[in-house]
Amino acid sequence: FDFSLVRPLFQVMPSGSIAAVAIMRDPVKRFLSHFYYARGLRWTEGLRIRELSPLEFLSRPDALLDTLMVWQDGVAGVAWFAGETVHYGMGATGNTADNARMRRAIRNRTETLRRAVRNYHRFAFVGLLEEKDASMELLQHALGWAATPQMERLNAASPSYPEPTRGETRRIRAALRVLIPMDLWFYQYVRADFRSRHAALRAAQSEGDTFGSTSSHRCRRRWAGGAAPSATFPSEEELGGCVATRQALACGTQVFT
């Protein structure tokens, strides 16, 4: 769920009593999965998404605006962690509230990334779908479980979508770099932090640290809600790319002027 639904729990519950967990997915793979899944939903009947390939879709502003929730910057992670999700996960908030959240998310994208990173570090655990085994190891450690949990890999898109070629994947990623710069930056940040944590866990295990040791408990507490490591956040100019509302897609903040 959107972080704005979790925030009140952190505010009213005793410190350490809330353990929020999440799994993130590579934004490119998430887009492809959502693209093909949406094509089979009733609300896309008659829309251009059903007639286009992913690459064709990403180059058609009219198609992009038809199905904003499939690709818009933020839906792959940033908006959820920043507490600015619009399309789902928030209930029926109405157009006025939704538009206000959308404006906050993209009016100052650097600040939105700051909020997303700050809230990310309040989670007890954030894993990566593409690194499932390592994620389950970290989840076991973060929650102090005796055994490594198992997670099924179920996909609502059946049959599975056709895998793009390497060349197509590069072109899709390049297009998404323009369309979803916040989500791509955030995923790279989370992935680097995730791999650092997993490497630290493996190093501790190789030194004989166990889940019941004092060192392990201290490490777990530090990872669950500890201070965020320093990060160099990109400026608006460095993010570049485009921003979108439900009415317009434009490069630069002139979408609101």
Side-chain angles (χ1 to χ4, degrees):
F1 286 96
D2 185 89
F3 190 81
S4 63
L5 298 180
V6 181
R7 185 182 296 111
L9 296 177
F10 282 106
Q11 292 173 337
V12 302
M13 298 296 288
S15 178
S17 63
I18 300 298
V21 300
I23 295 283
M24 286 194 64
R25 190 173 191 179
D26 182 308
V28 175
K29 294 183 178 180
R30 193 218 69 86
F31 160 73
L32 288 168
S33 178
H34 201 166
F35 174 85
Y36 284 107
Y37 177 64
R39 280 161 52 124
L41 298 178
R42 183 176 301 176
W43 67 271
T44 63
E45 290 180 3
L47 298 183
R48 283 165 280 254
I49 188 174
R50 293 200 176 191
E51 306 167 357
L52 303 172
S53 71
L55 273 171
E56 291 170 335
F57 173 80
L58 292 174
S59 65
R60 292 280 300 273
D62 53 353
L64 291 170
L65 288 174
D66 278 346
T67 51
L68 203 61
M69 67 181 296
V70 170
W71 65 271
Q72 189 179 25
D73 202 9
V75 298
V78 169
W80 296 89
F81 282 92
E84 303 291 1
T85 305
V86 171
H87 301 290
Y88 36 57
M90 281 306 301
T93 57
N95 285 336
T96 299
D98 283 355
N99 288 336
R101 294 165 71 84
M102 191 178 294
R103 283 173 177 264
R104 282 196 302 271
I106 60 179
R107 175 77 77 171
N108 186 333
R109 294 181 294 173
T110 301
E111 182 55 34
T112 299
L113 284 173
R114 290 185 191 277
R115 290 199 305 274
V117 167
R118 183 169 58 247
N119 293 337
Y120 157 75
H121 283 285
R122 300 184 72 177
F123 277 62
F125 162 81
V126 176
L128 302 178
L129 188 61
E130 288 75 26
E131 300 184 30
K132 184 162 69 77
D133 291 344
S135 293
M136 294 302 98
E137 289 180 30
L138 276 175
L139 178 59
Q140 175 192 2
H141 181 71
L143 298 183
W145 290 343
T148 305
Q150 302 297 314
M151 184 181 75
E152 288 188 273
R153 185 76 180 268
L154 301 177
N155 196 323
S158 181
S160 59
Y161 62 82
E163 289 287 344
T165 66
R166 288 186 178 181
E168 289 171 337
T169 300
R170 285 195 297 269
R171 293 169 65 190
I172 290 169
R173 189 173 292 276
L176 290 175
R177 171 61 186 87
V178 175
L179 291 168
I180 59 168
M182 285 194 300
D183 274 333
L184 288 177
W185 183 93
F186 185 65
Y187 182 77
Q188 291 172 354
Y189 175 88
V190 171
R191 184 177 59 185
D193 187 53
F194 172 88
R195 290 177 175 174
S196 175
R197 295 181 185 215
H198 187 249
L201 175 61
R202 284 293 181 88
Q205 290 172 339
S206 68
E207 295 172 1
D209 198 359
T210 65
F211 288 109
S213 71
T214 301
S215 173
S216 181
H217 283 298
R218 184 167 57 248
C219 188
R220 219 164 33 240
R221 285 197 301 271
R222 186 176 68 249
W223 286 358
S230 60
T232 302
F233 291 92
S235 66
E236 187 69 28
E237 292 73 22
E238 289 168 332
L239 282 166
C242 300
V243 293
T245 68
R246 288 168 171 161
Q247 293 77 36
L249 171 66
C251 292
T253 54
Q254 67 267 28
V255 70
F256 289 128
T257 59

